[in-house]
């Protein structure tokens, strides 16, 4: 009896399955973990192989070889159907992972729309299932294919317009004139592409989500504002008085636009008079998303800058600076710092000016040698490090009564930037008058020297902290 067991073929099949199945599961598990660590697209096909194909294959061999169940039995046919279906899914998943998911950017495989892949997968699954039922169950599928073919022709003729629109949209997606994140300017809307599917393109606009059918885009012209890169720009038109010198106006507009935080790195700003009272400023930007913020900031800054320069934006005259306001500002913030009496304050008024700066506007630039001292009358000013293209770090904040530009006496360049945190009103005093005041009171020079060293020390501490971090 024992000899019959060892000489039977089913015994070796049973032992082989009992040993081979665990070993195969262990090997496929290790392979699966390795692919997941590499974030490989093949991880999913290997998972299908481990969880479904290998157990079903072992069960099929156990039924047909170890148990000697006839192939015509319902249990064998059921397991064989499941096994063949998993093989079909595995092949499709493997082809998709190697051919499309791992395709290099810019190749035709990467440009194939997902809907094409899904339709192809559906057709192959349908054909595969038909073959499976034909060979395993002996089903006659020829009539089914004939009926499906006739039905497809009838449906195609009935819906030829709708299907044509869908196909035209899919062909446009295959060409890929845009991708997620691009900005489109269409006849219906202007916005950023946030979703693309087989039916429509979703644009995020300032008024909400604009859904445009693919067939509409395929049948009309539109502009991709994001391609080619580094070409996007906006044009802002402004009006100045006829008495303002055009060269001064253009220089002002160019300087203000060049300091915008939204300016594209390496971009060149240009301003030109276009006739009448109009001036056109071209500002290169990184993305159309910056259009609104850049234009708003530019118009805000030139309102303040034009008044500081004595120019007349929108032909408006500025009556903010008056002798009475300058005298009050000198008495409030300049006299306490410079220790001036009433007579000295009157002497200083002719050399003082009153200016305003908009929020985030630069008041002092790193590396420049100031030609005057600046006293803060209202608002808050942030002092930051001047480190080129690197992010600026805050050294400190000045409020009402604070001052800038004390290095005008030592003729040293300033080490950082100063920009307004809100609207800031300041009093400027020329260097010549500051020198006269210091000559009368030498102790002021020592105090200014200590202020310079304190700010330099603060800047060094901030930079050293970033270096250590």
């Amino acid at each position: 009896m024992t000899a019959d067991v060892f000489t039977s073929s089913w015994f070796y099949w049973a032992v082989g399955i009992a040993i081979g199945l665990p070993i195969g599961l262990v090997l496929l598990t290790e392979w699966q973990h390795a692919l997941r660590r590499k974030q490989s697209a093949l991880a999913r096909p290997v998972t299908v192989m481990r969880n479904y194909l290998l157990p079903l294959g072992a069960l099929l061999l156990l039924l047909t070889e170890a148990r000697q169940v006839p192939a015509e039995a319902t249990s064998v046919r059921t397991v064989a159907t499941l096994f063949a279906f998993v093989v079909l899914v595995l092949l499709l998943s493997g082809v998709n992972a190697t051919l499309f998911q791992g395709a290099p950017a810019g190749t035709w495989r990467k440009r194939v729309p997902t809907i094409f892949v899904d339709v192809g997968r559906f057709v192959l699954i349908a054909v595969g299932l038909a073959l499976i039922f034909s060979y395993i169950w002996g089903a006659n599928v020829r009539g089914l294919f004939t009926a499906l073919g006739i039905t497809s022709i009838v449906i195609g003729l009935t819906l030829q317009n709708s299907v044509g629109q869908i196909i035209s949209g899919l062909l446009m997606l295959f060409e890929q004139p845009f991708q997620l994140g691009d900005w489109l300017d269409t006849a219906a809307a202007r916005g950023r592409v946030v979703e693309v599917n087989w039916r429509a393109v979703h644009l995020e606009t300032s008024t909400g989500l604009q859904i445009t059918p693919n067939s509409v885009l395929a049948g009309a012209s539109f502009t991709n504002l994001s391609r080619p890169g580094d070409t996007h720009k906006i044009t802002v038109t402004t009006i100045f008085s006829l008495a303002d010198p055009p060269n001064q106006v253009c220089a002002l507009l160019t300087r203000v636009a060049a300091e915008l935080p939204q300016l594209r790195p390496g971009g060149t700003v240009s301003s030109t008079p276009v006739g009448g009272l109009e001036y056109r400023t071209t500002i290169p930007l990184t993305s159309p998303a910056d259009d609104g913020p850049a234009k708003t900031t530019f118009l805000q800054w030139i309102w303040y800058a034009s008044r500081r320069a004595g120019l007349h934006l929108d032909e408006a005259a500025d009556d903010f600076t008056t002798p009475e306001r300058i005298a009050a500002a000198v008495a409030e913030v300049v006299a306490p710092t410079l220790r001036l009496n009433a007579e000295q304050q009157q002497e200083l008024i002719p050399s003082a000016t009153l200016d305003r700066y908009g929020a985030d506007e630069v008041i002092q630039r790193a590396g420049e040698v100031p030609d005057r001292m600046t006293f803060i009358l209202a608002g808050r000013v942030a002092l930051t490090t001047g480190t080129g293209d690197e992010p600026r770090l805050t050294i400190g904040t000045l409020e009402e009564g604070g001052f800038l530009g004390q290095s005008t006496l030592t003729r040293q360049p300033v080490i950082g930037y100063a920009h307004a945190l809100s609207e800031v009103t300041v009093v400027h005093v020329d260097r010549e008058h500051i020198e006269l005041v210091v000559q009368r009171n030498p102790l002021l020079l020592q105090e200014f020297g200590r202020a310079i060293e304190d700010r330099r020390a603060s800047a060094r501490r901030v930079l050293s902290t970033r270096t250590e971090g």
Side-chain angles (χ1 to χ4, degrees), residues 416-432:
Y417 287 83
H419 64 271
L421 295 176
S422 58
E423 183 179 81
V424 173
T425 304
V426 300
V427 183
H428 298 299
V429 180
D430 293 339
R431 177 176 180 270
E432 290 77 8

Side-chain angles (χ1 to χ4, degrees), residues 160-176:
Q160 56 181 329
N161 291 332
S162 300
V163 173
Q165 292 179 358
I166 294 176
I167 295 300
S168 64
L170 292 178
L171 292 176
M172 182 197 66
L173 294 182
F174 184 80
E175 183 185 353
Q176 278 198 341

Side-chain angles (χ1 to χ4, degrees), residues 134-157:
S134 176
Y135 282 100
I136 296 179
W137 296 91
N140 183 12
V141 296
R142 184 178 303 174
L144 177 61
F145 278 113
T146 302
L148 287 176
I150 297 175
T151 303
S152 300
I153 294 174
V154 173
I155 293 176
L157 292 174

Side-chain angles (χ1 to χ4, degrees), residues 62-98:
L62 188 64
L63 289 174
T64 57
E65 301 298 338
R67 294 287 304 274
Q68 302 291 322
V69 179
E72 294 77 12
T74 302
S75 58
V76 175
R77 288 182 173 181
T78 302
V79 175
T81 301
L82 293 175
F83 179 80
F85 179 74
V86 172
V87 170
L88 178 62
V89 171
L90 179 63
L91 291 175
L92 293 176
S93 179
V95 170
N96 182 59
T98 56

Side-chain angles (χ1 to χ4, degrees), residues 429-441:
V429 180
D430 293 339
R431 177 176 180 270
E432 290 77 8
H433 202 94
I434 295 294
E435 289 179 339
L436 293 176
V437 173
V438 170
Q439 289 175 5
R440 296 172 184 172
N441 190 353

Side-chain angles (χ1 to χ4, degrees), residues 12-315:
Y12 295 101
W13 279 106
V15 172
I17 294 171
I19 297 175
L21 180 61
I23 294 176
L25 289 175
V26 170
L27 293 177
L28 289 176
T29 300
E30 294 298 323
W31 190 13
Q32 179 190 47
H33 291 167
L35 292 174
R36 284 180 176 175
R37 285 194 297 269
K38 297 178 180 178
Q39 297 183 345
S40 173
L42 293 175
R44 184 177 179 182
V46 173
T47 301
V48 173
M49 189 184 304
R50 175 192 178 277
N51 294 343
Y52 303 103
L53 185 64
L54 186 62
L56 285 174
L59 179 60
L60 184 62
L61 290 175
L62 188 64
L63 289 174
T64 57
E65 301 298 338
R67 294 287 304 274
Q68 302 291 322
V69 179
E72 294 77 12
T74 302
S75 58
V76 175
R77 288 182 173 181
T78 302
V79 175
T81 301
L82 293 175
F83 179 80
F85 179 74
V86 172
V87 170
L88 178 62
V89 171
L90 179 63
L91 291 175
L92 293 176
S93 179
V95 170
N96 182 59
T98 56
L99 192 61
F100 297 107
Q101 292 184 3
T107 60
W108 68 269
R109 291 181 294 163
K110 198 67 174 179
R111 293 197 302 269
V112 174
T114 306
I115 183 63
F116 282 0
V117 179
D118 292 340
V119 171
R121 184 185 296 115
F122 175 78
V123 172
L124 291 177
I125 289 177
V127 174
L129 287 177
L131 295 177
I132 290 172
F133 280 101
S134 176
Y135 282 100
I136 296 179
W137 296 91
N140 183 12
V141 296
R142 184 178 303 174
L144 177 61
F145 278 113
T146 302
L148 287 176
I150 297 175
T151 303
S152 300
I153 294 174
V154 173
I155 293 176
L157 292 174
T158 305
L159 303 176
Q160 56 181 329
N161 291 332
S162 300
V163 173
Q165 292 179 358
I166 294 176
I167 295 300
S168 64
L170 292 178
L171 292 176
M172 182 197 66
L173 294 182
F174 184 80
E175 183 185 353
Q176 278 198 341
F178 54 83
Q179 58 187 3
L180 291 179
D182 283 357
W183 282 76
L184 301 184
D185 188 2
T186 69
R190 183 173 186 260
R192 183 171 64 91
V193 179
V194 294
E195 182 181 347
V196 179
N197 54 44
W198 66 273
R199 191 188 70 85
V201 174
H202 295 200
L203 299 178
E204 183 181 45
T205 68
S206 58
T207 58
L209 193 65
Q210 175 74 30
I211 301 176
T212 304
N214 293 330
S215 57
V216 174
L217 290 179
S221 61
F222 60 88
T223 303
N224 188 338
L225 301 176
S226 300
R227 298 186 186 179
D230 296 337
T231 59
H232 180 66
K233 56 189 177 183
I234 62 171
T235 301
V236 182
T237 302
T238 51
I239 296 176
F240 282 81
S241 171
L242 198 61
D244 294 332
N247 287 343
Q248 292 185 23
V249 174
C250 291
L252 172 74
L253 295 173
T254 301
R255 178 181 60 79
V256 172
E259 294 177 348
L260 290 173
Q262 298 87 3
L263 185 69
R264 185 175 69 238
T268 302
V269 177
S270 63
S271 296
T272 56
V274 292
L277 307 177
E278 293 186 353
Y279 293 82
R280 185 171 298 157
T281 305
T282 303
I283 308 172
L285 302 176
T286 303
S287 166
D290 297 328
D291 290 4
K295 184 175 181 179
T296 300
T297 303
F298 177 68
L299 293 176
Q300 173 185 311
W301 284 3
I302 62 173
W303 189 93
Y304 292 95
S306 62
R307 282 159 171 77
R308 293 196 303 269
L311 301 175
H312 305 85
L313 178 66
D314 295 328
E315 300 185 274

